[in-house]
Amino acid sequence: MEKEVLIFGHKSPDTDTICSSLVREILDKKNGWNCTKAVRLGDVNKETQYILNYLGIEAPGLIEKVEEGQEVILVDHNDFAQSADGIENAKILEVIDHHRIGNFRTAEPLYYTAKPYGCTSTILFEEFKSLGHKIEKKEAILMASSIISDTLLLKSPTTTEYDKKALKELAEIANIDVNTYGLDMLKAGTELDDFSAEELVNLDAKDFEKEGKKFVIAQVNTVYINDVLKRQEDLENVMRNEMNKNGLELMVLAITDILNSNSEIIALGENAEDIIYKAFDKKLENNRAFLEGVVSRKKELVPNIDKSI
Ligand code: MG
Ligand code: MG
Ligand code: MG
């Protein structure tokens, strides 16, 4: 039997991470490569669960870490800090990603597809096209959902013409009305009430490092920022805990209003005030700042914080 190759996205998996892993496995099967298997590194969020339910399919299996020498394909991330435990000693065959290249190195040559698109699935969509494979309804819904999620219905500044074109074509194949389906899907991800503060903070948290300084930017989507802010004290306690446990310089929780495209951030850290002021020209008040028009971690939060830390 051929060795199994694992396909996975980042920790705290989001829709693009899960759906692109599944789509990549489908694409491999179409190419006659049967030994790849989508897996995940954490719980599926409610938005992604909505999509899996819609399709009546199971989430990929959960793995805790990768063994030394395990062959893997990374989607939707490259930074080792966001990848599987043990990734340093795995054999990375390929990366398909739409993020900046951060802490990434390999011992051996590899395939690396990086495009500055709004979504990994848009890259996969183009691979279906260039390989001449027919896109079936299932993968159309998976890829359309990824694009809707990562671009917040094409409203995020990360959105490119390629994403728009892909979503239009995928929606036709999937036979969905993008706005109706998209809002239902995004809203499913904003049902946050039954989450503990700890779950909320870790729902979509990403680790970063700059010159030895570690910082985390977590994000939650909502349709009503104040609902989340009611729990500020609890959220801050969890954030302080995380900071102490992991020796963080800064921890930011972005609460993003997906309907009006704004974010309120809670920022903690010894130099949080200075960093946020430098990054966004905003003064923290009660550890918070309202960032009008800001929705993208990748294009707005990370670059501004990274250069200010
Ligand atoms: Mg992602
Ligand atoms: Mg993505
Ligand atoms: Mg995301």
Side-chain angles (χ1 to χ4, degrees):
M1 203 184 104
E2 263 183 297
K3 256 193 291 182
E4 191 170 65
V5 177
L6 301 178
I7 307 165
F8 52 83
H10 51 81
K11 283 181 175 160
S12 303
D14 60 9
T15 290
D16 188 27
T17 265
I18 298 290
C19 294
S20 288
S21 304
L22 290 167
V23 170
R24 171 58 200 240
E25 185 187 319
I26 293 168
L27 189 60
D28 288 335
K29 298 271 182 303
K30 286 188 187 273
N31 287 328
W33 198 22
N34 291 313
C35 62
T36 65
K37 192 173 95 183
V39 292
R40 64 185 159 92
L41 305 180
D43 292 340
V44 167
N45 69 31
K46 289 188 180 178
E47 180 192 282
T48 312
Q49 193 57 53
Y50 176 91
I51 301 150
L52 299 174
N53 293 348
Y54 187 92
L55 284 167
I57 61 172
E58 296 285 319
L62 178 72
I63 61 161
E64 302 287 343
K65 59 177 172 35
V66 289
E67 303 298 335
E68 192 172 342
Q70 170 68 51
E71 297 190 328
V72 303
I73 295 168
L74 306 186
V75 298
D76 196 34
H77 76 299
N78 66 76
D79 200 317
F80 283 6
Q82 297 157 13
S83 198
D85 295 345
I87 191 69
E88 297 81 3
N89 301 314
K91 186 171 175 193
I92 302 171
L93 301 183
E94 190 171 344
V95 178
I96 305 149
D97 187 29
H98 67 129
H99 293 88
R100 68 173 191 172
I101 299 173
N103 300 305
F104 183 80
R105 58 182 295 277
T106 58
E108 291 180 56
L110 76 160
Y111 290 98
Y112 200 118
T113 308
K115 292 189 183 177
Y117 293 175
C119 178
T120 306
S121 276
T122 306
I123 306 174
L124 292 170
F125 168 81
E126 290 187 350
E127 295 200 352
F128 267 87
K129 292 278 175 188
S130 67
L131 292 163
H133 293 310
K134 182 165 183 267
I135 300 172
E136 316 277 346
K137 188 166 176 173
K138 178 181 167 188
E139 54 264 22
I141 287 173
L142 290 169
M143 289 190 275
S145 301
S146 284
I147 297 170
I148 291 166
S149 172
D150 267 12
T151 66
L152 292 177
L153 266 169
L154 306 178
K155 284 194 291 186
S156 164
T158 56
T159 311
T160 66
E161 290 307 313
Y162 303 98
D163 303 299
K164 290 180 190 168
K165 191 172 158 278
L167 181 55
K168 189 162 176 282
E169 192 172 328
L170 291 167
E172 273 165 31
I173 300 168
N175 196 20
I176 51 166
D177 175 75
V178 168
N179 282 309
T180 312
Y181 173 84
L183 269 185
D184 284 349
M185 185 199 109
L186 290 172
K187 279 186 182 158
T190 67
E191 288 159 18
L192 306 171
D193 288 351
D194 54 332
F195 283 123
S196 67
E198 189 162 6
E199 286 168 325
L200 259 190
V201 169
N202 288 300
L203 207 55
D204 180 9
K206 282 192 180 171
D207 293 47
F208 300 92
E209 199 171 327
K210 187 190 176 189
E211 288 150 16
K213 288 179 192 160
K214 293 202 271 186
F215 61 104
V216 168
I217 305 179
Q219 187 168 33
V220 291
N221 287 345
T222 182
V223 286
Y224 195 54
I225 288 175
N226 282 330
D227 262 2
V228 182
L229 287 177
K230 278 185 205 143
R231 305 165 70 177
Q232 183 175 354
E233 202 184 314
D234 289 345
L235 294 168
E236 285 190 12
N237 286 335
V238 172
M239 289 165 72
R240 282 200 188 88
N241 254 333
E242 291 284 319
M243 296 184 68
N244 291 336
K245 202 169 70 189
N246 300 308
L248 303 181
E249 172 83 12
L250 176 78
M251 175 134 190
V252 174
L253 173 65
I255 304 155
T256 299
D257 177 342
I258 56 164
L259 297 183
N260 301 302
S261 304
N262 300 307
S263 294
E264 176 104 20
I265 57 166
I266 300 174
L268 300 179
E270 213 175 310
N271 303 311
E273 225 162 296
D274 288 346
I275 297 166
I276 297 305
Y277 189 75
K278 229 169 111 186
F280 304 106
D281 205 16
K282 282 273 182 176
K283 256 193 133 107
L284 281 181
E285 273 171 51
N286 183 22
N287 299 325
R288 275 160 37 192
F290 182 70
L291 306 181
E292 202 177 334
V294 170
V295 296
S296 170
R297 172 169 44 204
K298 181 162 68 162
K299 218 157 182 165
E300 297 169 316
L301 298 172
V302 174
N304 283 313
I305 289 171
D306 188 81
K307 69 172 186 251
S308 310
I309 203 164

